[in-house]
Amino acid sequence: MSLNRALIFLGPPGAGKGTQAKQIAERERVPHLSTGDMLRDAVARGTALGQMAKPIMERGELVPDDIILGMVEERLSRPDSAHGFIFDGFPRTIPQAEQLDKILARRGFGKPLVIEFRVDSEKLLRRLSGRWTCSVGGETYNIYERPPKVPGVCDRDGGKLVQRSDDRPEVVNERLASYERQTKPLVDYYRRHGVLEVVDGSASIAEVNRALDEILKRAEG
Ligand SMILES: [Zn+2]
């Protein structure tokens, strides 16, 4: 079985889209693409676009769309993208989505299939702000959903658990709010184009996986 299409996973941080994208990409033998990975790869390989992006990234600034989209087009022209691919967290804005539509058309792909991972914001907040990381081995726990046996201590190596600054409730709140602001219009854009499907990102990994399978089967038929 081959995917033969562009899949786009949209969802807030913590909605589980990365986990699902990885699993489906492995199963379907298609690349799992995020702009972060593409940027790092282009910089590492020293491509023309990578060289342009490098100083911008080093200054901590946002890499402009023309570089991002150039990189996307380059990535999609590689042989391993011929039978489809999964975008994880890209596009982020309507202009990027419009340009991506053009790239897909040029490369002979039809409309993308877009999956929105929807999660109740209370649940997301618990999922994200409950996350504590082992200072020794990097294992992650969730004090609500998957607590360590002894509070504050890693089960595996006894390391002290710490909360990354990104996972503090006030930071999480801001990350979620900015995702909402940015992504709502994008979700509407894809809905208008009739390519949007929604999954419940608060379900278990296996359940979300099943839901995605059904969507993919339906889309094939
Ligand atoms: Zn540990």
Side-chain angles (χ1 to χ4, degrees), residues 134-139 141 154-159 161:
C134 171
S135 55
V136 176
E139 296 88 353
Y141 296 85
C154 176
D155 291 347
R156 229 183 68 190
D157 52 27
L161 301 184

Side-chain angles (χ1 to χ4, degrees), residues 91-154:
R92 287 185 198 274
T93 62
I94 289 181
Q96 287 183 346
E98 288 169 344
Q99 291 305 315
L100 178 62
D101 283 345
K102 288 181 194 159
I103 294 174
L104 292 178
R106 276 202 291 278
R107 304 224 56 85
F109 286 97
K111 287 180 180 177
L113 178 60
V114 182
I115 317 273
E116 182 194 8
F117 287 64
R118 212 174 278 167
V119 188
D120 173 72
S121 56
E122 277 301 303
K123 272 193 190 150
L124 254 188
L125 194 62
R126 275 166 67 101
R127 214 182 245 187
L128 291 168
S129 66
R131 189 157 65 184
W132 288 69
T133 307
C134 171
S135 55
V136 176
E139 296 88 353
T140 58
Y141 296 85
N142 187 295
I143 54 170
Y144 307 111
E145 293 171 357
R146 203 174 78 82
K149 292 193 186 81
V150 180
V153 180
C154 176

